[in-house]
Amino acid sequence: MSVQLPNLIPPFRFTIVEENLFRGGYPKPRNIRFLKRLRLKTILSLIPDKIMPEMQQFCEQNNIKVLHLTVDKMKEDNIPLTYNKTLMALELMIDPNNHPLYLHCLDGADVTGLVVACLRKLQMWSNSSAMSEFARNLHSSVVTSEEFEFIENFKNFDVTIPMTLPLWLWGGQISFRKHATLRLKFLNPEMMTEEERELKDLKEKKEKEKEDYYKKRKNDLLDNLFDPNSPRHRSSPSIGTNGNNNSTNNTSATSTGTNANNTPQMLSTPRTDDEVFTMNTSSTHVASDKHKNDSDNAKDPYLVDVDVDVDGVMMDGLDQVEYMNRAVGNVSGNRFYAEDDDVLDNGDEYGADGARFTTEPISRTLEALALEGLTEF
């Protein structure tokens, strides 16, 4: 005995849009047997209210996810669909995780047709092709001016592209330089247009050039700071020589004297043995202190003790140094420090005994500290 099965009745205006993507009118209980054969994973409803309880029960029993975007009923000279909801619908439709997907509105014509027309523009169909498909599913095949403008003005919007693409969208890969009408945002960092790839390569190249420039600038600053042959730290030989000669001449003139006949004159004041011993001891201490000071200056000729870790140099410090150099024009008036915290101006100075103080500009010290990240301007 044969059993007659119920008829397979598709929803009103049912159409296959792409593989695993379907469209049509409001699904009803008589369409359940047909919809079950589609093995749907998602139903996207663009209607004012939620679907009827019988359809909700069918979706729960078959593990079908129901997504509802509230869209009012289409009226004459009024399109209730907004571009924001259109973008939301498109992002759900192109995600393979939601496939197979059934898209519907109340009658499967106007609202659904507008969303599919926008999908065609995302697929880079021409406006005329998208309009022709839209018109084939209308009641009268006549596209109103409002509908035409809605499809025409769907451009320059940001569309988020999922991690993977269905094969029917651009062949499942990005092979074009730039989208004709929309701005694409890819969730997959490896997925980008040719134009975006060129911009990324250009950005990486500029960052590499900037990093190389900072490294070169850093090395130049360090070389100038610690190179004893640098003009900024080189002592003035003429002044130092004259000072030493004058000091020597003065010492010779005060220690010995000659008469008109070039005969040496003896000092008239007699000295005891204790006084002579004291003077010799003092001379020995002075000579020792002077030798120690000369040794310290030889070890640290710039009076700057900065342990520079070249590998740990901070790039922002260089930015701040260059900013300060540009701001003050390198003419901010260098101040110098010598021993005993005396502030000296205009370069090297000399003490009472003719010894030259080797000084260091504060700006150079700050540059060194900025390189190490030890200070901020």
Side-chain angles (χ1 to χ4, degrees), residues 17 62 112 132 153 173 203 225 257 314 324 358 369:
V17 180
N62 293 272
T112 301
S132 176
N153 293 331
Q173 60 183 355
K203 182 179 179 181
L225 182 62
M314 298 181 64
M324 291 297 296
T358 303
L369 294 177

Side-chain angles (χ1 to χ4, degrees), residues 202-216:
L202 180 61
K203 182 179 179 181
E204 291 177 352
K205 181 180 178 181
K206 289 183 177 180
E207 291 178 351
K208 180 68 167 54
E209 292 176 351
K210 183 178 179 181
E211 182 179 356
D212 293 341
Y213 167 76
Y214 280 152
K215 288 182 178 179
K216 184 178 182 301

Side-chain angles (χ1 to χ4, degrees), residues 16-61:
I16 299 176
V17 180
E18 294 289 354
E19 183 181 3
N20 291 326
L21 181 61
F22 313 100
R23 59 172 286 185
Y26 191 94
K28 297 181 180 179
R30 64 173 178 265
N31 308 131
I32 288 179
R33 188 165 177 263
F34 177 85
L35 293 175
K36 192 172 183 179
R37 298 267 186 306
L38 298 177
R39 300 182 183 279
L40 295 175
K41 186 182 290 185
T42 307
I43 292 180
L44 180 58
S45 300
L46 306 177
I47 54 179
D49 302 315
K50 295 181 178 180
I51 59 175
M52 61 180 61
E54 294 85 353
M55 292 305 302
Q56 289 182 356
Q57 183 179 4
F58 163 74
C59 292
E60 292 175 358
Q61 292 175 352

Side-chain angles (χ1 to χ4, degrees), residues 72-278:
D72 292 336
K73 185 177 179 180
M74 195 80 170
K75 296 181 180 179
E76 188 176 353
D77 299 334
N78 177 33
I79 296 179
L81 184 65
T82 63
Y83 287 125
N84 286 336
K85 291 184 178 180
T86 302
L87 292 171
M88 293 173 62
L90 289 180
E91 292 172 4
L92 294 171
M93 293 165 60
I94 64 176
D95 190 352
N97 294 325
N98 296 325
H99 294 168
L101 182 145
Y102 178 67
L103 171 71
H104 76 90
C105 58
L106 291 176
D107 58 0
D110 297 301
V111 175
T112 301
L114 290 175
V115 173
V116 173
C118 293
L119 173 65
R120 299 307 189 190
K121 294 193 70 173
L122 177 63
Q123 293 178 283
M124 292 191 290
W125 283 26
S126 64
N127 282 333
S128 59
S129 298
M131 293 288 182
S132 176
E133 182 186 41
F134 175 72
R136 286 199 302 268
N137 292 278
L138 294 178
H139 305 283
S140 59
S141 299
V142 176
V143 180
T144 64
S145 59
E146 291 79 11
E147 294 169 338
F148 181 86
E149 290 179 0
F150 185 92
I151 299 173
E152 179 72 19
N153 293 331
F154 183 73
K155 56 186 177 181
N156 298 327
F157 291 105
D158 294 333
V159 181
T160 301
I161 307 301
M163 294 292 292
T164 57
L165 297 176
L167 293 177
W168 49 261
L169 182 61
W170 312 317
Q173 60 183 355
I174 308 300
S175 58
F176 50 88
R177 175 173 175 78
K178 182 181 179 181
H179 197 279
T181 56
L182 299 171
R183 296 190 297 266
L184 307 180
K185 292 185 176 181
F186 299 95
L187 296 179
N188 189 346
E190 301 298 328
M191 192 182 300
M192 62 184 68
T193 62
E194 294 182 2
E195 182 183 48
E196 291 176 333
R197 194 176 301 277
E198 292 176 0
L199 293 175
K200 180 182 178 181
D201 294 341
L202 180 61
K203 182 179 179 181
E204 291 177 352
K205 181 180 178 181
K206 289 183 177 180
E207 291 178 351
K208 180 68 167 54
E209 292 176 351
K210 183 178 179 181
E211 182 179 356
D212 293 341
Y213 167 76
Y214 280 152
K215 288 182 178 179
K216 184 178 182 301
R217 175 63 176 157
K218 171 199 67 177
N219 293 331
D220 291 343
L221 289 175
L222 292 176
D223 292 341
N224 292 336
L225 182 62
F226 296 107
D227 186 6
N229 297 324
S230 176
R232 191 162 187 172
H233 304 295
R234 190 181 298 133
S235 60
S236 177
S238 59
I239 298 178
T241 302
N242 293 336
N244 292 335
N245 291 338
N246 293 335
S247 176
T248 302
N249 293 336
N250 294 335
T251 304
S252 298
T254 56
S255 61
T256 60
T258 57
N259 55 12
N261 296 327
N262 295 328
T263 302
Q265 294 179 355
M266 300 299 294
L267 295 176
S268 59
T269 304
R271 299 184 182 273
T272 64
D273 293 341
D274 294 339
E275 291 176 345
V276 173
F277 177 78
T278 303

Side-chain angles (χ1 to χ4, degrees), residues 270-330:
R271 299 184 182 273
T272 64
D273 293 341
D274 294 339
E275 291 176 345
V276 173
F277 177 78
T278 303
M279 290 180 62
N280 292 335
T281 303
S282 300
S283 300
T284 302
H285 289 307
V286 170
S288 177
D289 294 340
K290 184 175 182 181
H291 176 73
K292 182 178 180 181
N293 292 334
D294 293 340
S295 177
D296 293 341
N297 290 336
K299 294 180 180 177
D300 189 7
Y302 311 119
L303 300 182
V304 176
D305 185 10
V306 179
D307 184 11
V308 178
D309 180 10
V310 176
D311 296 332
V313 171
M314 298 181 64
M315 293 297 104
D316 54 350
L318 284 171
D319 289 334
Q320 296 171 358
V321 169
E322 289 198 352
Y323 171 78
M324 291 297 296
N325 288 339
R326 291 195 299 269
V328 302
N330 290 326

